[in-house]
Amino acid sequence: MTDSKYFTTTKKGEIFELKAELNSDKKEKKKEAVKKVIASMTVGKDVSALFPDVVNCMQTDNLELKKLVYLYLMNYAKSQPDMAIMAVNTFVKDCEDPNPLIRALAVRTMGCIRVDKITEYLCEPLRKCLKDEDPYVRKTAAVCVAKLHDINAQLVEDQGFLDTLKDLISDSNPMVVANAVAALSEIAESHPSSNLLDLNPQSINKLLTALNECTEWGQIFILDCLANYMPKDDREAQSICERVTPRLSHANSAVVLSAVKVLMKFMEMLSKDLDYYGTLLKKLAPPLVTLLSAEPELQYVALRNINLIVQKRPEILKHEMKVFFVKYNDPIYVKLEKLDIMIRLASQANIAQVLAELKEYATEVDVDFVRKAVRAIGRCAIKVEQSAERCVSTLLDLIQTKVNYVVQEAIVVIKDIFRKYPNKYESVIATLCENLDSLDEPEARAAMIWIVGEYAERIDNADELLESFLEGFHDESTQVQLQLLTAIVKLFLKKPTETQELVQQVLSLATQDSDNPDLRDRGYIYWRLLSTDPVAAKEVVLAEKPLISEETDLIEPTLLDELICYIGTLASVYHKPPSAFVEGSRGVVHKNLPPRTGSSESAESPDAAPSGVQAPEPPAVIPTQGDLLGDLLNLDLGPPVSGPAMAASSVQMGAVDLLGGGLDSLVGRGSMGGGGGSFAPAPSAAAPASLGAPMGSGLGDLFDLTGGVGALSGSYVAPKTVWLPAMKAKGLEISGTFSRQVGSISMDLVLTNKALQVMSDFAIQFNRNSFGLAPAAPLQVHAPLAPNQSVEISLPLNTVGSVMKMDPLNNLQVAVKNNIDVFYFSTLYPLHILFVEDGKMERQMFLATWKDIPNENEAQFQIKDCSLSADAVSSKLQGSNIFTIAKRNVEGQDMLYQSLKLTNGIWVLAELRIQPSNPSFTLSLKCRAPEVAPYVFQAYETVLKN
Amino acid sequence: MIHSLFLINCSGDIFLEKHWKSVVSQSVCDYFFEAQEKAVDVENVPPVIPTPHHYLISIYRDKIFFVSVIQTEVPPLFVIEFLHRVADTFQDYFGECSETAIKDNVVIVYELLEEMLDNGFPLATESNILKELIKPPTILRSVVNSITGSSNVGDTLPTGQLSNIPWRRAGVKYTNNEAYFDVIEEIDAIIDKSGSTVFAEIQGVIDSCIKLSGMPDLSLSFMNPRLLDDVSFHPCIRFKRWESERVLSFIPPDGNFRLISYRVSSQNLVAIPVYVKHMISFKENSSSGRFDVTIGPKQNMGKTVEGVVMTVHMPKAVLNMNLTSTQGTYTFDPVTKVLTWDVGKITPQKLPNLKGIVNLQSGAPKPEENPSLNIQFKIQQLAISGLKVNRLDMYGEKYKPFKGVKYITKAGKFQVRT
């Protein structure tokens, strides 16, 4: 008597037979028939032909039969919209049923029927149900609003359901609150701009109360919603944290992780000296560790998130290294993640343990895992200097095993260790050389050749070794060929007498017999160098190389901050912001960590402010190509990046990049590039051109020509500074400044080619930034840039680009592409380029606004050592679009009242107090967005002092 | 939220699908099959798979893949937790979560899924509530139903659904009132070659079986609650009481449930109840090797170690093994290369030993990797962390319940490296 009997009829007349049964008079037979229909449906069989017959069974008091028919309806109504209308009456009737279960069922099912015509009939019953006396019905109705919104958003807005839904947030029943929050969050996702979840301290309080009483799933919705709230000060942040902390002990791991997100985010606002801060850090560790004892799928998601948390706040888990030790029956995806975190947590204190573990892993069965373990040993050596020696000896032990792929990986990482600690471990070279023959992977061969070339003077038979590679030169991969060429040239420069023939041979192989342009180019340049000036060649080729950095695959700090706001979501699994991969979320609002608001840094202490402005330099990070490309450039430069796939391989990319960089720096400053070679020249970048921009740029150019004359009328332009040194950009040096001329902003650049190769195909892109600065026209470099030549360019900018809050606010990340590679740099722009020409406020307006802005938004600064008179100040500032509205003389002091407006419409009001005897002015700024104040102050200072 | 669910068996047949929003074509599972093929082993299929328009989040339980389709940014843990809950519910309803059980009860399964999720939002996932809405199948009921024509579906609103204690229904009645607690501890450990502990921790749970009438309010206290510093609670537990008094105070769900789970971390010393002496070696160029393993009791607090089973994944080059055991039986599967030795009880007077010759494929190189030994064991009447229940008090009801606590220690992921 099991349900499997429903699957048995497979005869031709099945549908016909079912039809007859459905129309039977016997209730029991009817029900059996409906069950058969449902069974067929579950396995994907098409039973839509039975629609009218099944719908006929709907009018029944038997709840089970009713539910079954509803199930059927939901599945097929879309394909039979006209028939579905037949069901409407029953629904409407059921919505009035005295049994709340039936009322809820009816409204729930109606919402699932995705037919436009039905939705019209749904509105009235839904309105009633949202106000139903029974909370079970209300909570079901709340979800129904989200369903309806999905089908017909306009209808939901017109009918005012959104407001009703907002009211439900204050419902007395926690389950209703949770569902209302869930529904609103879902609706808000498709309406990023709307202020649906307008959170304020009162509603937050209600949510926190509901949090304790609703179901686990409701808790997740509420916590995720809380995470979007910006507490107004550290005290509020702390009180929310206190009330969220108990959720860390929940049995449901999703609740735990959502709670972790809220805490990680709000912690940002707490001062580090606070006792509570330390307590919170301590409380976070155990739940994170507990997540690792759950099912492997949960572990995986947890580990991806822990990876982020460890980068943001390493102190949380620094004592928990052991829980990340790999068990041999962990699934491979868990193993690889654990390994990654182990390296991040490695420090002098625990390195011995870590190394012992890594060595153990290197003898496991899984090839991918073993490779990664070997690499990890190398990374430990680079990260923890004290351990380098032990790491190297571990690697040598591994080489002794003679397992092919272990040896190859070991050689690749030893090369990196040599680069980090030059002239320290060269004694191992002999052992490495023994394994020369077993290397068959290009990466390992290239690494070995690099080692031989680099230390040619210490290897007696270096020429023989390299010669042996030369035999099959044309069968090698480009990577190996380039490396071989460089290594032999190095060898020649070190031992010129014995190796003349060899170098001749390789140069002719590279230049004459190869059809790879990179290889030919590099061959020619060596040839030229060697034949014209061997001394210069030595300087170039044997130049000292920069040390490699410690961490090669850290996530960029701004991205990391954004990802911390997305803990627990898909974004945290892929380590990409949702905008990079979630379909249809074009307008996703970017989340950012709240700024720390230590109460000591209030506006009263003017001296504290400037120091706050100079935000601590973010740690220098070599971002992996994949991450930056995805985030910074979207798709314009380089090959298209398809989000998640890229993320998966980003670790490997990092490694490749390391080697690429290594190869390039071999040629020192005179790099011919191509070594990294991973980026094919992209089709010329399509920079977003905006309307009206060409005219603006033309005007800008005109003014540029008039030079000195315009200087008075335009705003202050700082002298150009070097933004991208040639060292970092394969010979391309970029210096520049920002200017504002008659309403148009431009970026004045000087590109200098310090490489030995012609550069062309320039393109430029900005990352999203606080004010949406973007190039208004493509970067126009008319002729290719010959070596040692410079070109001046004025790049018109507009402010219609996409906006993301940066830290510091005026940070601008730029990518420049040329035929060689893509380069990244970031620069700070002075805020006054954003002061618009119509920034003069009416007097009355000024007074009203000044009063209107709350006092806590006022910030005070001191401008020191400025001896201008009030009039001079006011005219100087006017040049930079800071307008004086009124001037008063109070007790011998001049008070200037000024206003300015930013491109994004933010008004800033200022009061400048000038005492004739005192060279420092007092500047009070009032603005609705107080975070701009320090930057406005900077702009004042720059303008006044120049 | 969760869009659709597909259940897929090991041979790759989609044997059930359920959609909570619009219908998503089965072809979306092709991406899953692709990943499955790549992973070779079923356990290694990544849990989150991106496809051009959807994301697939899957779990693997009881030889079934539960593959859910999502379209928007949803917390993956939320989905994974929910999928495990679905599997738990099937287990609870049908006694097992297998393809046959699901197919045999397909209509109930469908009704359950509909009840558990609405528009992708979890609706009712507590087994107490579900059982009031949809009655679990029993032989008796299906006979009765077929005679009387009544149904499996409850037609009143579940009582617990909206109260502040959604996990308990009202009007519970038992003739024998009893409350049992099982303190179960599992030792996860990695022991290295030389026998020293690389890593060890205890994962504990307290599973309860409570059959008490009415609305009992229980409080459970421990002799040494300070051991519990990392605990996850069932929602029924009052967190504040625990914070202030270290007492578990709760109104229990009816029936079986997990009260708390806890972790005694590696900072506290973890007693390792067994030791293993091993000698596994392969000779160079001779296509054979030696295998000699002895298991003995260590810190077991005077209790017997029983149910000992050792499994070893031997290297690929191993053809077969000729072993003799002083106790228990062993099997070697030449296809999967898994050696299983069922030892049983360890008596300290005569330690169980398994030794003999390993035959390797001729001509194959000496295996590089050292197999890890996986050990399972059980110790009755002992919680290895030392956790002890002090007393259980009941308030709110008049009767005198029968109470009981049982302790058991087991091996979790207990592996010995060689």
Side-chain angles (χ1 to χ4, degrees), chain A residues 10 13 15 32 126 129 198 216 253 401 428 451 477 486 559 607 637 677 682 771 798 847 930 939:
Chain A
T10 47
I15 297 278
E32 287 299 290
L126 179 58
C129 286
D198 196 12
E216 48 199 306
S253 58
T401 63
V428 307
I451 294 173
S477 70
T486 311
L559 179 62
D607 287 345
L637 302 176
F771 293 95
N798 58 30
L847 278 173

Side-chain angles (χ1 to χ4, degrees), chain A residues 2-4 6-7 28 31 35 38-39 41-44 62-64 67-68 71 74-75 99-101 108 114 134-136 139 143 147 173 175 182 186 189 216-217 220-221 224 246 249-254 257 286 289-290 293 295 297-301 322-323 325-333 357 360-361 363 365 401 403 568-571 573-574 578 581 583 644, chain B residues 1 15-18 21-23 26 43-50 52-53 55 58-60 70 72-78 80-82 84-85 103-108 110-111 114-115 118-119 121-123 125-126 133 149-157 161-164 190 193 198-199 201 203 230-233 235 239 263 267 313 368-369 372 374 413 415 417:
Chain A
T2 65
D3 291 352
S4 48
Y6 301 128
F7 292 113
E28 207 37 40
K31 199 163 93 186
K35 280 192 178 182
I38 299 284
M41 195 175 82
T42 56
V43 288
N62 185 322
L63 193 63
E64 186 180 19
K67 277 189 171 183
L68 291 172
L71 278 178
M74 284 184 241
N75 229 13
N99 184 343
L101 195 61
R108 193 171 118 202
R114 309 175 61 83
D134 195 304
Y136 181 75
K139 96 175 192 175
V143 175
K147 294 181 195 170
N173 187 298
M175 255 70 90
E186 192 180 81
E189 208 165 291
E216 48 199 306
W217 313 110
I220 300 171
F221 298 135
D224 285 345
S249 305
H250 201 282
N252 185 320
S253 58
L257 205 56
V289 173
T290 303
S293 53
E295 286 83 358
E297 301 92 2
L298 296 171
Q299 278 188 48
Y300 171 73
V301 177
K322 282 187 174 180
V323 296
F325 284 0
V326 173
K327 301 189 177 99
Y328 96 103
N329 43 4
D330 281 335
I332 181 73
Y333 55 81
E357 279 298 300
E360 197 67 44
Y361 304 158
T363 61
V365 197
T401 63
V403 179
T569 64
L570 276 175
V573 173
Y574 288 116
F581 63 91
E583 207 175 273
Chain B
M1 294 290 119
F15 65 90
L16 189 113
E17 57 180 292
K18 168 89 183 97
K21 292 187 173 182
S22 50
V23 176
Q26 281 197 359
E43 282 91 8
N44 286 345
V45 181
V48 185
I49 301 168
H53 302 289
Y55 288 84
S58 63
I59 64 164
Y60 180 67
I70 60 168
T72 46
E73 173 69 281
V74 179
L77 275 189
F78 168 97
I80 294 173
E81 278 278 359
F82 178 80
H84 278 294
R85 205 60 61 84
K103 275 189 174 164
D104 283 350
N105 299 289
V106 70
V107 175
I108 294 192
Y110 225 69
E111 286 169 347
E114 185 58 34
E115 214 51 67
D118 175 22
N119 196 37
F121 298 108
L123 199 59
T125 52
E126 286 287 339
L133 283 169
S150 66
S151 76
N152 287 333
V153 176
D155 53 7
T156 48
L157 195 58
Q161 179 75 288
L162 286 161
S163 67
N164 284 343
I190 304 175
K193 263 192 237 353
V198 175
F199 158 81
E201 67 177 20
Q203 304 284 354
D230 181 6
V231 201
S232 303
F233 295 122
F239 190 74
R263 185 176 64 94
Q267 261 85 355
H313 277 263
E368 281 307 325
E369 71 266 20
S372 285
N374 249 19
K413 286 179 178 162
Q415 48 186 272
R417 291 176 180 161

Side-chain angles (χ1 to χ4, degrees), chain A residues 190-236:
Chain A
S190 52
H191 270 267
S193 51
S194 66
N195 253 341
L196 275 180
L197 277 163
D198 196 12
L199 298 172
N200 51 48
Q202 288 78 38
S203 56
I204 287 293
N205 199 22
K206 272 176 196 141
L207 289 183
L208 284 168
T209 313
L211 181 64
N212 289 326
E213 288 166 6
C214 65
T215 65
E216 48 199 306
W217 313 110
Q219 295 184 11
I220 300 171
F221 298 135
I222 293 184
L223 285 169
D224 285 345
C225 174
L226 276 179
N228 291 331
Y229 177 64
M230 278 286 179
K232 61 179 191 301
D233 55 22
D234 50 344
R235 204 164 301 157
E236 192 184 4

Side-chain angles (χ1 to χ4, degrees), chain B residues 11-31:
Chain B
S11 43
D13 303 321
I14 303 171
F15 65 90
L16 189 113
E17 57 180 292
K18 168 89 183 97
H19 307 277
W20 283 279
K21 292 187 173 182
S22 50
V23 176
V24 178
S25 152
Q26 281 197 359
S27 60
V28 76
C29 293
D30 292 348
Y31 295 97

